[in-house]
Amino acid sequence: MDVVLSGIRATGHLHLGNYFGALRNFVKIQDKYNCFYFIADLHSLTTHPHPEDFHQNVKIILTEYLAAGLDPDKCTIYVQSDVPEICELYTLLNMLAYKGELERTAAFKDKVRKNPENVNAGLLTYPVLMASDILIHRSSWVPVGKDQDQHLEMARTFARRFNNLYGTEVFPEPHAMDPVGGPVKVPGLDGNGKMGKSEGNGIYLCDDEKTITKKVMRAVTDAGPKTPDSPKPEVIDNLFTLMKLVSTPDTVNYFEEKWNDCSIRYGDMKKQLAEDICKITLPIRARIDDIANDSSYLHRVVSDGRDKARASASATLEMAREAIGIKRF
Ligand code: TRP
């Protein structure tokens, strides 16, 4: 059975971008493939989080993964730092990753521009650690957002380079797995393009009804259409994009018609949008507190996940070591 793997950096609560961009898709496929979902806590160390926040962030993602419907009986859920085999593979792959190609990575250049005072080696080799995450289970499919395409391309490059150099087929080339119907880009409602934590425009799975409504009602709009059937400016298109994710087709059509005949009232549309977001997120939110308070359940999930992940990881590592010529005396 094909291996599917994805992960998320442990930097805080999950927002609708994470949910519709990837998580909802994971939940749907978790019993159709051999699925691994992990929390990338080591990756989050590039920004030197406070030790207490570090653990808290892992717990938040774990809890929200489970609340959103990831089922530890169907897939393997684990914490990256619990699986030391990933770090060993990272060391091995670092020997095949060139400084120039790492420096040319868009995400790296972006970080250098934004935080010139913290250009550490972990940041430079972020794609190598990510490739190790993927290759350690010999994954074929990685459901992630478009923004990770370049990182995935690098994982393929490292896999191919390893296989060619050592004349093996240890690593299959991993590919992006798009949700049924194509990739989903969740827009921000502040005219900022995508929804993201660093963009500061997130609507979170843990937000209550009042917070969600407030965020949606604040969405940037324009003065309204002047002529029938006119194209939508980006901020309005964003409202519709989000609506298509959370509302019924009838609701979307209703507002499309209102847009087309210039009778649209953004206030009504936002109210509907907020309501429909709540319909999807509030059941998840309701589970978050219960799960977060059940520490024996969380402990069980993480330790079962670690055992399963380590069994798979050590088998791959054994093959990689053998291919390289690392032998036991
Ligand atoms: N880089 C990913 C992100 O920022 C997180 C991540 C780390 C990841 N390792 C991964 C995603 C392996 C998929 C597979 O979202």
Side-chain angles (χ1 to χ4, degrees), residues 5-9 38 40 43 126 130 133-134 142 144 148:
L5 170 135
S6 198
I8 187 155
R9 226 163 349 132
F38 77 101
H43 273 113
Y126 185 111
M130 179 158 161
D133 292 327
I134 298 168
V142 185
V144 275
Q148 297 297 313

Side-chain angles (χ1 to χ4, degrees), residues 5-10 18 26 36 38-41 43 65 80 111 126-127 129-135 139 141-145 147-148 151-152:
L5 170 135
S6 198
I8 187 155
R9 226 163 349 132
N18 303 125
F26 300 173
F36 292 87
F38 77 101
I39 299 156
D41 58 342
H43 273 113
Y65 262 0
Q80 186 184 34
K111 291 274 154 51
Y126 185 111
L129 183 54
M130 179 158 161
S132 309
D133 292 327
I134 298 168
L135 301 179
S139 318
W141 301 104
V142 185
V144 275
D147 60 325
Q148 297 297 313
H151 285 150
L152 259 184

Side-chain angles (χ1 to χ4, degrees), residues 18-267:
N18 303 125
Y19 184 68
F20 290 110
L23 186 53
R24 184 181 57 160
N25 198 37
F26 300 173
V27 172
K28 281 191 202 151
I29 59 166
Q30 59 184 333
D31 45 9
K32 300 197 179 71
Y33 296 88
N34 183 10
C35 288
F36 292 87
Y37 299 121
F38 77 101
I39 299 156
D41 58 342
L42 297 175
H43 273 113
S44 74
L45 288 173
T46 54
T47 55
H48 314 152
H50 192 279
E52 269 150 41
D53 296 337
F54 181 77
H55 178 73
Q56 190 53 27
N57 282 338
V58 173
K59 185 176 169 189
I60 286 171
I61 306 262
L62 175 67
T63 304
E64 296 183 2
Y65 262 0
L66 295 166
L70 281 189
D71 180 348
D73 291 329
K74 295 180 178 159
C75 63
T76 303
I77 304 170
Y78 63 98
V79 181
Q80 186 184 34
S81 61
D82 271 342
V83 182
E85 289 80 5
I86 297 168
C87 291
E88 185 170 338
L89 183 58
Y90 172 56
T91 302
L92 302 177
L93 292 180
N94 264 323
M95 311 306 169
L96 307 183
Y98 293 98
K99 177 171 163 280
E101 65 190 340
L102 296 171
E103 279 170 345
R104 282 192 296 276
T105 314
F108 176 71
K109 289 199 286 195
D110 191 51
K111 291 274 154 51
V112 171
R113 203 164 35 77
K114 287 186 182 144
N115 306 302
E117 74 299 339
N118 183 28
V119 184
N120 58 64
L123 207 55
L124 181 68
T125 58
Y126 185 111
V128 188
L129 183 54
M130 179 158 161
S132 309
D133 292 327
I134 298 168
L135 301 179
I136 197 73
H137 302 298
R138 309 175 76 217
S139 318
S140 299
W141 301 104
V142 185
V144 275
K146 270 257 156 273
D147 60 325
Q148 297 297 313
D149 275 356
Q150 195 180 20
H151 285 150
L152 259 184
E153 178 68 48
M154 295 174 85
R156 277 195 289 280
T157 303
F158 302 144
R160 214 178 301 125
R161 211 173 272 163
F162 185 100
N163 291 345
N164 287 342
L165 181 62
Y166 296 112
T168 84
E169 286 176 8
V170 174
F171 298 118
E173 288 187 24
H175 292 277
M177 178 186 247
D178 287 335
V180 180
V184 176
K185 182 179 157 211
V186 181
L189 293 181
D190 53 355
N192 240 344
K194 79 165 194 171
M195 181 180 290
K197 189 175 157 55
S198 42
E199 285 74 10
N201 59 6
I203 296 176
Y204 292 90
L205 295 181
C206 62
D207 282 344
D208 61 20
E209 195 164 357
K210 223 172 108 197
T211 309
I212 291 175
T213 308
K214 207 164 81 194
K215 287 180 178 176
V216 175
M217 295 313 283
R218 268 204 317 249
V220 176
T221 49
D222 64 356
K226 298 270 177 304
T227 50
D229 300 313
S230 44
K232 300 184 188 89
E234 194 183 340
V235 287
I236 305 305
D237 199 48
N238 287 345
L239 277 182
F240 276 95
T241 302
L242 204 52
M243 186 167 245
K244 280 181 202 145
L245 290 170
V246 296
S247 305
T248 63
D250 282 351
T251 304
V252 177
N253 287 341
Y254 173 83
F255 287 102
E256 290 276 6
E257 277 167 25
K258 295 264 164 202
W259 166 268
N260 285 332
D261 68 15
C262 303
S263 67
I264 194 161
R265 288 173 29 183
Y266 293 135

